[in-house]
Amino acid sequence: MRALLLEQQDDQTLAHIKDIGSEQLPDGDVTVDVNWSSLNYKDALAITGKGKIVRNFPMVPGIDFAGTVRHSRDDRFKEGQSVVLTGWGVGEHHWGGLAEQARVSGEWLVPLPNGLDERKAMIIGTAGFTAMLCVMALEEGGVHPDDGDILVTGASGGVGSTAIALLAALGYRVTAISGRDSNTDYLKALGAKEVMSRDGYIETPRPLEKQLWAGAVDTVGDKLLARVLAQMNYNGTVAACGLAGGYQLPTTVMPFILRNVRLQGVDSVHTPLHRRQTAWERLAGILPDSFYQQATHEIALEQAPATAAALLNNQVTGRTLVKIR
């Protein structure tokens, strides 16, 4: 079977398409024929070697995949059943989805809900799953559509794009921040009412600024997140899930103790099974059909290394779908 294999030579990460045998797959109780995967920011870091994502080589990257069960020792899964996987360190320390087969723990798999096929599941992928968790965090923080505008940062990426589509479909008014002016029409087609440039948000913020946002989904971190916090409405909630702009947070306690702002971290790697199932069922029911055409760029497995480099250079918009078979 074909796989994108990462190897290390002279401290350099090398990515090649190779033929490997199923006996080389790591341990697991479910073997899946992978039909679709995707390319995420973490995948791009792993493939290019620009991030310390992979520590054991050789490694098959790909932090998510969708396919059909080929063999199972887990009674919850049957041959031919469609499943999806995101997270759990797959593609980092356990061989991942950028190969024609994967062998994993059944604990990591979610049966595809009604309304989703495998291709749509990977258009959503880890990014869309994370976006749904962020929206759920806003809801659980008490943010309702009539409370005010919602801000989405890093809006041109996979998480941001899906968050906009989800929030718009749920009746929220969404403002998007993007580093690429050329994506304004794309973001408005997804449901953003306004698109702002990232340039105005990268300066060091004051401790408190004018209240603008009832809620926010942040994928960037650092100074941008600090400024978003300073602009939150009283009782606002920020769901933070990324650090594309850096892992620092140069803020103060003032938004939290004077405006009752909540900063909710969102992790999609180790999300418990019951919450995963809820998120996937909601994704199947909320996203409009138009999303699957608007937010997707499809590539072949052989194109993954070049596309990974382009993604890190901020040259990729929305979701990158990888056709494995």
Side-chain angles (χ1 to χ4, degrees):
M1 62 178 174
R2 294 184 314 143
L4 178 62
L5 200 66
L6 303 183
E7 298 174 301
Q8 197 167 53
Q9 180 177 324
D10 298 328
D11 292 328
Q12 298 294 313
T13 299
L14 306 177
H16 300 289
I17 303 295
K18 291 193 173 182
D19 288 323
I20 62 174
S22 59
E23 71 279 358
Q24 294 176 257
L25 293 173
D27 291 338
D29 47 22
V30 184
T31 301
V32 179
D33 287 331
V34 179
N35 295 315
W36 299 94
S37 186
S38 71
L39 207 60
N40 299 278
Y41 186 76
K42 188 179 286 186
D43 296 319
L45 290 173
I47 292 169
T48 61
K50 293 184 177 180
K52 299 296 183 182
I53 304 300
V54 176
R55 300 189 182 273
N56 298 311
F57 295 87
M59 176 62 62
V60 174
I63 65 172
D64 55 22
F65 64 78
T68 56
V69 174
R70 184 181 187 89
H71 175 73
S72 176
R73 299 195 308 270
D74 187 321
D75 292 339
R76 293 171 294 180
F77 299 99
K78 304 300 180 184
E79 183 178 334
Q81 183 177 5
S82 290
V83 293
V84 61
L85 181 145
T86 62
W88 299 113
V90 170
E92 300 177 63
H93 53 76
H94 187 98
W95 282 18
L98 291 175
E100 291 182 338
Q101 282 186 9
R103 185 175 294 134
V104 297
S105 168
E107 296 290 334
W108 303 343
L109 295 170
V110 175
L112 276 190
N114 292 333
L116 279 185
D117 58 29
E118 294 169 14
R119 186 178 188 276
K120 285 183 176 180
M122 275 302 99
I123 292 174
I124 296 170
T126 293
F129 173 65
T130 305
M132 187 72 250
L133 294 177
C134 288
V135 173
M136 291 164 64
L138 295 185
E139 293 172 335
E140 291 158 3
V143 180
H144 303 287
D146 56 359
D147 289 340
D149 288 6
I150 308 297
L151 185 69
V152 176
T153 72
S156 296
V159 177
S161 296
T162 314
I164 290 169
L166 287 167
L167 289 163
L170 290 169
Y172 292 89
R173 178 182 168 85
V174 183
T175 296
I177 289 181
S178 175
R180 285 173 277 174
D181 294 338
S182 60
N183 284 340
T184 295
D185 290 343
Y186 161 74
L187 295 172
K188 288 187 174 180
L190 287 172
K193 299 300 182 183
E194 185 179 355
V195 179
M196 302 191 307
S197 173
R198 183 179 58 198
D199 294 343
Y201 270 77
I202 57 177
E203 297 177 358
T204 302
R206 297 188 296 274
L208 290 175
E209 299 188 2
K210 182 179 179 180
Q211 297 181 51
L212 297 174
W213 319 112
V217 173
D218 177 66
T219 70
V220 178
D222 207 74
K223 292 180 181 178
L224 196 152
L225 174 55
R227 189 155 199 184
V228 171
L229 288 167
Q231 296 179 349
M232 295 304 297
N233 292 356
Y234 190 89
N235 268 345
T237 295
V238 179
C241 64
L243 41 70
Y247 61 85
Q248 301 287 348
L249 183 55
T251 189
T252 72
V253 299
M254 292 179 71
F256 308 109
I257 63 175
L258 296 182
R259 291 185 179 166
N260 211 45
V261 171
R262 174 187 293 187
L263 176 59
Q264 177 63 58
V266 175
D267 163 62
S268 64
V269 176
H270 297 102
T271 307
L273 179 59
H274 67 90
R275 192 165 178 84
R276 285 179 182 272
Q277 292 173 322
T278 298
W280 278 105
E281 288 166 1
R282 293 198 66 191
L283 284 160
I286 295 173
L287 285 173
D289 289 340
S290 59
F291 170 80
Y292 300 103
Q293 285 77 48
Q294 292 167 333
T296 308
H297 169 59
E298 185 177 316
I299 65 172
L301 181 60
E302 290 80 4
Q303 297 171 278
T307 306
L311 194 157
L312 293 186
N313 288 329
N314 204 28
Q315 297 171 336
V316 175
T317 297
R319 292 284 295 145
T320 299
L321 183 67
V322 184
K323 186 174 184 179
I324 303 296
R325 291 179 178 269

